[in-house]
Amino acid sequence: MALDEAVDELARTAAQGDHRSLGELLRRIEPDVIRHCERLLPYRQDAEEAAQDTLLAVARNISRFEGRSRFGTWLHIVTVNCARTTYRSLKRRSSEQVEELPEQRPDPRRVSVIAGSRLDLLDAMEALEADKPDLAHALVLRDICELDYAEIADQLGIPVGTAKSRIHQARKYVQAVLGDAYR
């Protein structure tokens, strides 16, 4: 998310308890949050649900923003976590409904390959997080938040070489889960 210095300053003052700054901050970041959620979730309604969850999480947790890194970095992490939580919730609800409905195969002519691959990626990320959370966090920061290695190392409090290693291991894990079609 390309956020400016003014947004960073709003975040710092909101973190100190300024309610007007928080309102203005939420108003300014909403379009970016929605766009980012749309990149992670295939359906607009799901992305909007995740965006609302993100804005609520920002409002509730802004006091935890310490200002050590840019607000955009912190917001990326909150957004990705909310999108993944929304995905898990939708997946759980879907599996509950499948038990009630007869099996229906999607029409391949009407299913987006891109949407399907994003869902596969979210499943792979979920498996990675369950199995190796340290690797998942590094991968999210690099491939979703698009931070450079030095920023990731700083954010995680580890050497740059360790950050690179975790990202490499995470990518290998995700590739193994996704299979040959995604190499």
Side-chain angles (χ1 to χ4, degrees), residues 72-83:
T73 302
W74 186 81
L75 181 60
H76 271 300
I77 294 166
V78 172
T79 303
V80 168
N81 288 340
C82 287

Side-chain angles (χ1 to χ4, degrees), residues 2-169:
L3 303 174
D4 58 17
E5 287 293 324
V7 171
D8 281 349
E9 184 57 35
L10 282 171
R12 281 191 286 277
T13 56
Q16 295 170 356
D18 184 340
H19 296 291
R20 286 185 184 176
S21 293
L22 177 60
E24 179 64 17
L25 175 69
L26 295 174
R27 186 188 67 73
R28 285 196 186 185
I29 66 172
E30 183 177 19
D32 289 325
V33 168
I34 290 172
R35 272 192 302 278
H36 198 65
C37 287
E38 286 175 332
R39 287 177 41 204
L40 297 167
L41 297 166
Y43 299 106
R44 175 128 178 114
Q45 288 176 313
D46 299 342
E48 288 174 354
E49 181 179 333
Q52 290 304 311
D53 291 345
T54 300
L55 294 172
L56 184 59
V58 168
R60 286 183 176 161
N61 300 307
I62 191 66
S63 62
R64 294 183 186 168
F65 175 65
E66 298 171 354
R68 289 185 304 133
S69 62
R70 295 190 57 89
F71 175 72
T73 302
W74 186 81
L75 181 60
H76 271 300
I77 294 166
V78 172
T79 303
V80 168
N81 288 340
C82 287
R84 289 169 61 202
T85 299
T86 298
Y87 172 70
R88 280 188 217 111
S89 172
L90 293 167
K91 187 175 170 183
R92 185 179 59 252
R93 281 188 255 160
S94 174
S95 69
E96 291 168 358
Q97 290 175 351
V98 166
E99 294 171 2
E100 300 168 4
L101 300 172
E103 183 177 347
Q104 296 177 338
R105 298 249 182 234
D107 182 351
R109 295 168 299 186
R110 303 182 85 202
V111 176
S112 167
V113 172
I114 294 171
S117 66
R118 281 190 285 186
L119 295 179
D120 291 349
L121 180 59
L122 288 170
D123 285 336
M125 287 297 296
E126 191 173 315
L128 176 63
E129 184 176 39
D131 197 24
K132 300 179 182 203
D134 290 346
L135 300 183
H137 197 73
L139 185 66
V140 165
L141 291 173
R142 178 65 183 165
D143 289 353
I144 296 175
C145 298
E146 299 175 347
L147 298 182
D148 65 35
Y149 293 111
E151 290 175 305
I152 295 166
D154 184 51
Q155 189 78 12
L156 297 177
I158 57 176
V160 172
T162 303
K164 289 179 179 182
S165 174
R166 286 184 185 178
I167 292 162
H168 177 73
Q169 291 173 20

